[in-house]
Amino acid sequence: MESQRTFLFIGLMLVSFLLFQEWNSDYGPQPQAVQSASTQVNDATQSTDDTFIPSSSDSSVPGQIQRPSQSYISVTTDVLTVKLDTKGGDIVEVNLLQYPTEQHGEEPFMLLGELTGNQYYSQSGLIGIDGPDASPNGRPIYNTTQPSYTLAGDELRVPMTYVDAKGIEFIKTYVFKAGNYAVEVEYTINNSTANNANVQLFSQIKRTIQDKGSMIDQSYLGFAYGAFEKPYEKYSFSDIEDKNISIDTAGGYVSFIQHYFVSAWVPKQDEQNNIYSRKLSDNSAIMGVKGPVTTIAAGQQEHLSATFYVGPKDQAALKALHDDLDLTVDYGWLFFISQPLFDLLKWLYALLGNWGLAIIAITIIVKTLLYPLTKAQYTSMAKMRNLQPKIMALKEKHGDDKQKFGQAMMEMYRKEKVNPMGGCFPLLLQMPIFLALFYVFLESVELRHAEFGLWLMDLSAKDPYYILPILFGASMFLTQKLQPMTVTDPMQQKMMTYMPVIFSVFFLWFPSGLVLYWLVSNLISIAQMLIIYRGMEKKGIKVRG
């Protein structure tokens, strides 16, 4: 198996992998929806503005709610600016102060809000017989003491108060902490009436349905949830359009995932919760979680809470919030390879202070570790090349008798101690590492707007001048020159000749950090090939020409 075929094989594997990803997202098997015996999401309702209120087993919710004029509360911390709607106390806008929209720009990245026609909100409330969000008059309008809040110390509490017609006081408090993207939502219910009160906490994420990106951009855009038996399960827009889910589970979480960023609701993990989804009439979808019904005795007070994470895909922060939430940094089925590679990449960055240098360093390390496989691959290829005259002689001897020709060829391989698959097996072992690194570069928010130097000012974006793809094609062309073609089929010869051009075009739109890895890997392979061939030629093994 020649080196040119190696490039072809890698290309076909990569394209096939991306095509499989595309096919699987459209036609692959989907998780089965489990209907809860005690709660039916289909009984839920929505208001005129399509705010979805999940149904409760203890009460029904009216369908049409007139929305009043909106009033907002602004919150500013060291990492977030947040806009809260006094109606329902929902989070209707979040800007990430540490992540500019454009590289070196002043405008922070808006993660939640009105995003060019796409609504993306975080909603929470209390349903049940006495829940204010299940009132026939619509969702509660909360009162606050001030219109804006700014974090001054380690913690900022933003309380909002509502008293219903029965005299039950509901205090919804958002708790923000310095340097933290996890926001605690606390409910304090003061039941000053003579009767027990029953409420049920719900929290959900609403997002306008949006088409997935191109096949090259394989970052997932959609919902995901975690349940007791399923620590991480994607549930895309198309899944929700096909069927709603209602899953009872201990603990759990719901989330919405996009490139580099995630939002997630994490309820109390020691409670029995219900995860649900719903497609709305305004071309949006919702996934949420409901807690158990809570009874507040007459004259007593009760506290309920949940946590909302809204920010970058920081694996450590997500893991600290929920044991499985870091799985939203989706490395796919090769996570067991991607995770240590990512840890190594972060360590190299801490050592070198530049993500481009870290990518070069990890490429050198990977290629060094794989050198024994590379040597076996090139050695096998050289031996197979030397056997070509003998193979042609056997073919002439046996003519059209393919059975005798095959037996004679296998006997020759045995005598010459050559494994005809020796060039393929090392490559098959290397492919998982290549694909694992592909997802490391795709999923790592640390590489967003990461500078290398010279013209490469953003390793997460394509090369603006296409220099890396051209250099990559040149490295492939050089490899072909160092290993002249031995294939005789004209079609294969033509395909091998155009492979550098095909790959260069293919990589034009890839993140420059990924193309940098492939280019450096190619250059190292060329150096290793020259070293291996020089050693083989000293032993009298003809390699080239």
Side-chain angles (χ1 to χ4, degrees):
M1 181 176 181
E2 295 81 3
S3 182
Q4 295 93 340
R5 289 179 178 175
T6 299
F7 286 124
L8 179 60
F9 181 78
I10 293 175
L12 291 176
M13 284 288 290
L14 185 57
V15 173
S16 299
F17 172 72
L18 294 176
L19 287 173
F20 171 76
Q21 290 287 96
E22 191 80 357
W23 176 89
N24 191 57
S25 66
D26 289 333
Y27 305 107
Q30 307 298 340
Q32 296 296 318
V34 181
Q35 289 297 326
S36 167
S38 60
T39 345
Q40 295 295 329
V41 175
N42 291 333
D43 293 335
T45 60
Q46 61 191 65
S47 69
T48 53
D49 65 328
D50 273 313
T51 295
F52 175 68
I53 309 294
S55 66
S56 168
S57 58
D58 300 305
S59 68
S60 61
V61 185
Q64 300 298 323
I65 303 172
Q66 184 63 37
R67 185 180 184 92
S69 59
Q70 295 170 318
S71 178
Y72 299 113
I73 305 166
S74 63
V75 180
T76 303
T77 74
D78 56 334
V79 294
L80 300 171
T81 62
V82 178
K83 185 185 289 186
L84 305 175
D85 190 349
T86 56
K87 180 180 181 180
D90 295 335
I91 299 177
V92 295
E93 184 175 303
V94 173
N95 296 282
L96 308 181
L97 299 179
Q98 304 298 321
Y99 294 86
T101 301
E102 302 290 340
Q103 190 176 33
H104 305 305
E106 297 294 330
E107 182 180 356
F109 181 76
M110 179 188 288
L111 182 54
L112 269 65
E114 293 284 347
L115 306 165
T116 60
N118 294 322
Q119 295 181 349
Y120 187 6
Y121 300 145
S122 166
Q123 301 172 328
S124 59
L126 297 174
I127 53 176
I129 294 176
D130 301 291
D133 291 276
S135 169
N137 298 320
R139 302 191 71 196
I141 308 298
Y142 286 93
N143 295 315
T144 59
T145 58
Q146 56 192 78
S148 63
Y149 294 80
T150 301
L151 177 68
D154 295 331
E155 182 179 286
L156 172 65
R157 300 180 68 86
V158 180
M160 300 182 289
T161 305
Y162 172 77
V163 180
D164 68 6
K166 301 174 185 177
I168 303 175
E169 182 185 47
F170 302 91
I171 304 174
K172 184 175 186 178
T173 304
Y174 283 94
V175 183
F176 300 87
K177 296 182 180 179
N180 205 322
Y181 295 96
V183 182
E184 193 80 10
V185 181
E186 300 177 352
Y187 272 96
T188 301
I189 304 103
N190 294 309
N191 183 13
S192 58
T193 69
N195 301 312
N196 292 346
N198 294 309
V199 299
Q200 188 176 13
L201 175 63
F202 78 90
S203 49
Q204 62 191 23
I205 299 168
K206 177 181 179 181
R207 181 65 156 79
T208 300
I209 294 174
Q210 184 176 340
D211 293 335
K212 59 182 178 294
S214 66
M215 191 171 66
I216 292 177
D217 180 12
Q218 283 293 311
S219 55
Y220 177 69
L221 178 72
F223 293 97
Y225 67 89
F228 181 74
E229 295 181 351
K230 295 181 178 180
Y232 174 68
E233 191 75 22
K234 293 178 182 177
Y235 211 69
S236 66
F237 289 129
S238 59
D239 296 330
I240 294 177
E241 288 180 304
D242 290 339
K243 184 181 292 184
N244 294 325
I245 60 171
S246 179
I247 300 173
D248 289 330
T249 179
Y253 67 88
V254 296
S255 65
F256 186 85
I257 305 170
Q258 66 187 69
H259 199 196
Y260 297 135
F261 303 103
V262 61
S263 65
W265 274 108
V266 182
K268 290 292 185 183
Q269 296 300 293
D270 57 354
E271 295 178 345
Q272 192 71 12
N273 300 304
N274 175 263
I275 295 173
Y276 60 87
S277 68
R278 179 67 175 255
K279 181 183 183 297
L280 305 182
S281 61
D282 65 345
N283 194 40
S284 64
I286 275 177
M287 180 169 282
V289 57
K290 292 184 293 185
V293 175
T294 301
T295 300
I296 305 99
Q300 298 298 312
Q301 184 184 84
E302 187 62 61
H303 299 276
L304 301 175
S305 65
T307 303
F308 181 63
Y309 181 91
V310 54
K313 290 181 178 178
D314 185 327
Q315 294 185 53
L318 295 170
K319 183 73 172 179
L321 192 58
H322 188 286
D323 285 341
D324 302 320
L325 195 56
D326 62 323
L327 297 177
T328 56
V329 183
D330 193 352
Y331 290 141
W333 62 280
L334 290 172
F335 66 92
F336 57 93
I337 301 177
S338 296
Q339 189 61 59
L341 287 176
F342 172 72
D343 293 338
L344 177 59
L345 188 65
K346 281 207 309 182
W347 181 81
L348 290 171
Y349 171 73
L351 185 67
L352 300 173
N354 182 287
W355 284 108
L357 294 178
I359 290 173
I360 294 174
I362 200 172
T363 310
I364 294 172
I365 292 172
V366 169
K367 294 296 292 184
T368 300
L369 293 176
L370 293 177
Y371 179 75
L373 296 178
T374 303
K375 184 176 181 180
Q377 177 183 348
Y378 286 135
T379 301
S380 177
M381 288 160 53
K383 289 181 178 180
M384 287 292 294
R385 189 178 296 109
N386 286 334
L387 291 179
Q388 288 298 316
K390 294 183 180 180
I391 293 175
M392 294 300 296
L394 288 175
K395 194 170 184 179
E396 291 179 2
K397 178 180 178 182
H398 297 287
D400 295 332
D401 192 336
K402 294 183 179 181
Q403 182 176 359
K404 288 185 178 180
F405 171 69
Q407 292 174 348
M409 192 164 58
M410 294 305 295
E411 178 64 20
M412 181 187 65
Y413 286 154
R414 186 185 64 80
K415 290 181 179 179
E416 298 289 342
K417 296 180 180 181
V418 173
N419 181 0
M421 298 300 293
C424 296
F425 286 135
L427 182 61
L428 289 174
L429 292 175
Q430 293 177 55
M431 283 308 299
I433 296 177
F434 294 147
L435 295 176
L437 276 171
F438 173 82
Y439 269 107
V440 167
F441 294 134
L442 188 69
E443 285 288 298
S444 301
V445 68
E446 290 82 359
L447 288 171
R448 182 180 185 266
H449 293 170
E451 296 185 13
F452 179 28
L454 301 176
W455 75 97
L456 294 176
M457 304 307 293
D458 186 356
L459 292 171
S460 67
K462 67 178 183 180
D463 187 331
Y465 304 110
Y466 307 112
I467 295 175
L468 286 183
I470 294 173
L471 291 177
F472 176 84
S475 69
M476 288 188 65
F477 180 77
L478 178 59
T479 302
Q480 290 183 346
K481 287 296 182 182
L482 292 174
Q483 286 191 314
M485 251 184 259
T486 60
V487 294
T488 57
D489 182 70
M491 181 62 69
Q492 289 188 35
Q493 288 182 346
K494 186 174 293 186
M495 184 177 294
M496 295 301 177
T497 301
Y498 287 108
M499 280 299 290
V501 178
I502 294 172
F503 264 77
S504 295
V505 173
F506 191 63
F507 280 162
L508 288 179
W509 296 275
F510 267 56
S512 57
L514 186 62
V515 184
L516 176 65
Y517 166 80
W518 281 92
L519 171 61
V520 176
S521 179
N522 250 15
L523 296 176
I524 296 173
S525 294
I526 291 172
Q528 291 177 338
M529 179 177 59
L530 293 174
I531 294 172
I532 293 169
Y533 284 174
R534 187 176 296 114
M536 294 175 66
E537 288 172 348
K538 288 181 178 179
K539 294 180 181 180
I541 301 176
K542 185 179 179 181
V543 177
R544 289 166 290 180

